[in-house]
Each structure stands twice: as C-alpha cells, then as structure tokens.
Amino acid sequence: MNFLALDTSGDRSAAGVGTAAGLAWEAVTDASRKHGRDLAPMVRDLLHSAGLRPVDLTTIAVGLGPGSYTGLRIGLTAARMLAYAAGARILAFDSLEGFAQNAPDDALKVWAVADAQRGDVYCAAFERTEAGGALTAVAPSRIEHFGRWAEGLEAGVLVLGPALNAEAIRTALPSRVVAGDSALNQPSGRRLVELARRIAASGAEFDLFSLEPNYIRRSAAEDLWDARAGRP
C-alpha cells in the first residue's frame, strides 16, 4: 500500500509518503500558515522523491483538527480531491493524536496541546501500557482554559504539541511536568504515516464525502456575528 498522510491544523503543513516497501519520505513547510500556497507543491515533490504518481496512492490520511479553521479546510479538501482522483481509500485522524506520535517510546503518559487562543488550549491525553507500545487516547480532544487544565496535570507527564511554541504557554506549565522540546512540538510526516498505517490495519472506514473538520468551537467571527444580531 502506498500512503499519503497530511495535517494542516497548525502553523505548518506536514506530509509524509510511505510506500509498499515500507520506505517513508516527509516534509514540513515553514510557519507561514500559507497552506493553500505550500501544500500542493510539497505533496508533488514528496511523490516525485518516492517515485510515485498520484494515481499510485492507495490510502490518503488527513488530520481533522482541532486547529486552524482555514488550514483544516485546505487539508481536507486536498485529501478528498486526491483520494477521489486516485480512487484511493481515505482515512482521518485527530490532529492532536498526530502530534502525540512524536512522544519518545518511554513516555507512558502524554498530553498533546495546541493553542486555542483566548486563554484556552485544545488538549487530548494518551497513554501506553509499556515502553514502545502504541499510544491510546484516554481523553479525547477538547477545549479547556489553560490555567484549569494545567492545574490538573500529573507529575511526570509529557506535554508536547504546537501550543508549546508559544513562550507564554511553555513557561506557565507547572514544573512537575515534562515539557517537550522544540523537535517534539513540530508535525512529523513520518509519524503521520506510521499513524495512518495503524488506522488502516484497524479496519476503520471513513466516507469521502461526509468527513468534516473537527473545529470543536466556533470561530471568533461567528461569535461576533451572533452578538451583533442579538442571538444567544
């Protein structure tokens, strides 16, 4: 099976290509948030490096969020178009689960977090029973006030994800937790391919036309529109 896995939930677009031979290629854009400009050329170059054409892809996996509203729409649209054109199977994953895959094999408890703005974070918890085992979601992605979430963190838990790129969030984490270094807080195309392979092996099915981004909450523009219209 030839995989393409991509995520556009944050500042950077990440993509990985894995071949039937098990080889993987990956790329990440800069932090410009220009997903619409950078994603397609990045995927084109990855496929060329892997010696594949779009029609050679058998499985395409995409992150559904939470994260950037515009980025998620761009990523899902690109995945749908490629899957439809190639006749490929489409898979979806939680974007925070994609970041959690960066955790070292000996990290048994992991929180993945992204900055939700307005003093909030998107967060999800994962655990593994033994070093090297697969991480399993134990608390699904949700939005929480950063302070309340941080107060409940266990000692020794690993916290990683794009939220830690914000100095204010990173420095406000309690000293009892382990903060992921910069390498762990960036998306990894290779890790996304590994996650896509596990999802495919699980037999999970996703419908090409009914997939939607997981925004978790409405945008500030929508809240402002309703406030002006006098709607609750």
Side-chain angles (χ1 to χ4, degrees):
M1 298 175 70
N2 295 320
F3 284 81
L4 168 67
L6 58 92
D7 185 82
T8 53
S9 63
D11 291 348
R12 303 170 185 269
S13 297
V17 171
T19 67
L23 302 176
W25 289 259
E26 64 178 342
V28 178
T29 65
D30 61 28
S32 63
R33 282 184 177 261
K34 296 187 182 299
H35 304 292
R37 181 195 69 185
D38 298 336
L39 180 61
M42 179 173 66
V43 170
R44 176 201 63 202
D45 293 346
L46 278 175
L47 291 174
H48 179 75
S49 297
L52 299 176
R53 303 166 299 165
V55 294
D56 295 325
L57 293 170
T58 58
T59 305
I60 296 172
V62 59
L64 296 182
S68 162
Y69 284 68
T70 301
L72 293 175
R73 290 194 295 269
I74 290 171
L76 180 54
T77 299
R80 276 177 166 161
M81 291 177 62
L82 278 169
Y84 183 80
R89 175 186 182 187
I90 194 165
L91 305 175
F93 56 88
D94 184 291
S95 295
L96 291 181
E97 184 171 9
F99 279 102
Q101 305 312 306
N102 293 348
D105 287 346
D106 59 354
L108 302 183
K109 295 186 178 183
V110 178
W111 277 94
V113 288
D115 189 358
Q117 306 297 317
R118 303 181 235 173
D120 297 327
V121 289
Y122 299 119
C123 54
F126 303 86
E127 291 184 0
R128 53 166 61 101
T129 57
E130 60 183 2
L135 285 169
T136 301
V138 294
S141 287
R142 60 187 186 273
I143 189 168
E144 286 197 22
H145 182 271
F146 171 76
R148 289 193 295 272
W149 168 76
E151 285 179 4
L153 291 174
E154 297 180 50
V157 68
L158 173 65
V159 179
L160 56 76
L164 272 67
N165 293 326
E167 186 69 15
I169 290 179
R170 184 180 185 87
T171 58
L173 287 173
S175 59
R176 64 181 178 276
V177 308
V178 179
D181 61 32
S182 59
L184 299 183
N185 300 324
Q186 307 303 329
S188 165
R190 180 174 62 85
R191 295 291 190 180
L192 295 182
V193 170
E194 293 171 0
L195 176 59
R197 290 188 188 279
R198 290 199 296 273
I199 296 172
S202 75
E205 297 288 342
F206 299 87
D207 180 68
L208 176 67
F209 300 104
S210 63
L211 280 177
E212 293 290 341
N214 179 24
Y215 298 127
I216 293 187
R217 75 172 178 195
R218 305 186 329 154
S219 69
E222 290 173 307
D223 290 341
L224 180 60
W225 177 267
D226 281 353
R228 288 177 173 174
R231 289 189 289 263

